[in-house]
Amino acid sequence: MTFDVIAFDADDTLWHTEHLYSAAKRRLAALLARYADTSTLEARLDAIEIGNLDVYGYGVKSFALSMVEAAVTLTEGRIAGSEVLQIVELARDMLTSDVELLDHVPETLQTLARRYPLMVITKGDASEQVPKLARAGLLDTFPYVEVVGIKTEEIYRRLLAKHAIAPERFLMVGNSLKSDILPVLALGGTGVYVPSEVLWSHEHVEHPPTDHVRYHELAHIGELPGLVERLAGGHHGSI
């Protein structure tokens, strides 16, 4: 099994991200403590986020709008302008935070980049994701960067056609079965699942496709070069 390109999700696959959202929710809960308890706030915010996905998509800016909406609705419009400003500042802190790579990411990418073209396929806002790649020092590592609103089988099909990649010669690495793995397997590609410590409930899948011949699960991303070498059987592709 040879590959023409190896693609990676970004958030919580290459770098830590979900912890920023968890921390923001804690700060929002503290801000709104006199209006609602933490569980009520989190349930309302999660429902609003999911309801807004088709309009706002993914990313910190989308999350910020959902936080403001949750704050206004939970307080029945009583939230002060200064408190709304604190929510905006909270989002700004998220956007300018340091990018913390996951363990083993630098050496893994360095090893694979010597033999394969690498691609990023990530959900979100390009104005957020591309600067994060740059701040992480990874922009030159990836000749191909695709930022999409959602990851579905059809989106992957279009991306593979755009880059003239046969599905059977495509390998996708990610921390979400729903977004990174299942659509790729459905197309005939190879999916490598690297579970993250924290996963948004919207991305949860009950049962991994462990019986699928092209499905692989790793304890951490540092195991990826060895897996790729075994799957490729010593042969290396190019896009």
Side-chain angles (χ1 to χ4, degrees), residues 45-65:
L45 178 57
D46 193 52
I48 289 173
E49 277 191 274
I50 293 173
N52 285 338
L53 283 178
D54 288 343
V55 179
Y56 299 153
Y58 295 82
V60 173
K61 295 169 189 172
S62 168
F63 181 61
L65 289 171

Side-chain angles (χ1 to χ4, degrees), residues 109 111 176:
L109 296 180
T111 297
S176 170

Side-chain angles (χ1 to χ4, degrees), residues 115-128:
R115 296 175 173 175
Y116 297 92
L118 304 183
M119 178 184 292
V120 165
I121 302 177
T122 183
K123 290 187 297 190
D125 184 333
S127 69
E128 296 178 20

Side-chain angles (χ1 to χ4, degrees), residues 10 32 35 47 75 91 97 114 122 127 131-132 153 156 164 171 194 197:
L32 302 179
Y35 300 109
T75 65
S97 64
R114 288 197 290 263
T122 183
S127 69
K132 279 198 287 188
E153 184 178 340
Y156 280 106
L171 186 150
V194 186
E197 293 181 2

Side-chain angles (χ1 to χ4, degrees), residues 115-151:
R115 296 175 173 175
Y116 297 92
L118 304 183
M119 178 184 292
V120 165
I121 302 177
T122 183
K123 290 187 297 190
D125 184 333
S127 69
E128 296 178 20
Q129 297 294 63
V130 174
K132 279 198 287 188
L133 275 170
R135 294 205 305 276
L138 297 180
L139 198 55
D140 292 339
T141 303
F142 294 96
Y144 310 97
V145 177
E146 298 285 354
V147 182
V148 297
I150 193 171
K151 291 177 178 177

Side-chain angles (χ1 to χ4, degrees), residues 86-206:
Q86 289 183 59
I87 297 175
V88 173
E89 291 172 346
L90 194 161
R92 184 183 293 112
D93 289 344
M94 294 176 69
L95 287 168
T96 58
S97 64
D98 292 336
V99 179
E100 182 184 352
L101 295 178
L102 276 82
D103 291 342
H104 311 291
V105 164
E107 59 267 34
T108 293
L109 296 180
Q110 185 178 31
T111 297
L112 293 173
R114 288 197 290 263
R115 296 175 173 175
Y116 297 92
L118 304 183
M119 178 184 292
V120 165
I121 302 177
T122 183
K123 290 187 297 190
D125 184 333
S127 69
E128 296 178 20
Q129 297 294 63
V130 174
K132 279 198 287 188
L133 275 170
R135 294 205 305 276
L138 297 180
L139 198 55
D140 292 339
T141 303
F142 294 96
Y144 310 97
V145 177
E146 298 285 354
V147 182
V148 297
I150 193 171
K151 291 177 178 177
T152 62
E153 184 178 340
E154 179 58 28
I155 292 297
Y156 280 106
R157 181 181 289 109
R158 292 178 184 179
L159 290 177
L160 294 182
K162 174 183 175 180
H163 294 284
I165 304 167
E168 63 272 16
R169 297 175 67 88
F170 176 72
L171 186 150
M172 179 70 192
V173 183
N175 72 305
S176 170
L177 289 169
K178 180 179 179 180
S179 293
D180 304 319
I181 306 303
L182 296 181
V184 171
L185 295 180
L187 287 173
T190 297
V192 179
Y193 176 50
V194 186
S196 56
E197 293 181 2
V198 183
L199 183 68
W200 187 27
S201 59
H202 181 65
E203 296 288 343
H204 181 69
V205 171
E206 194 67 34

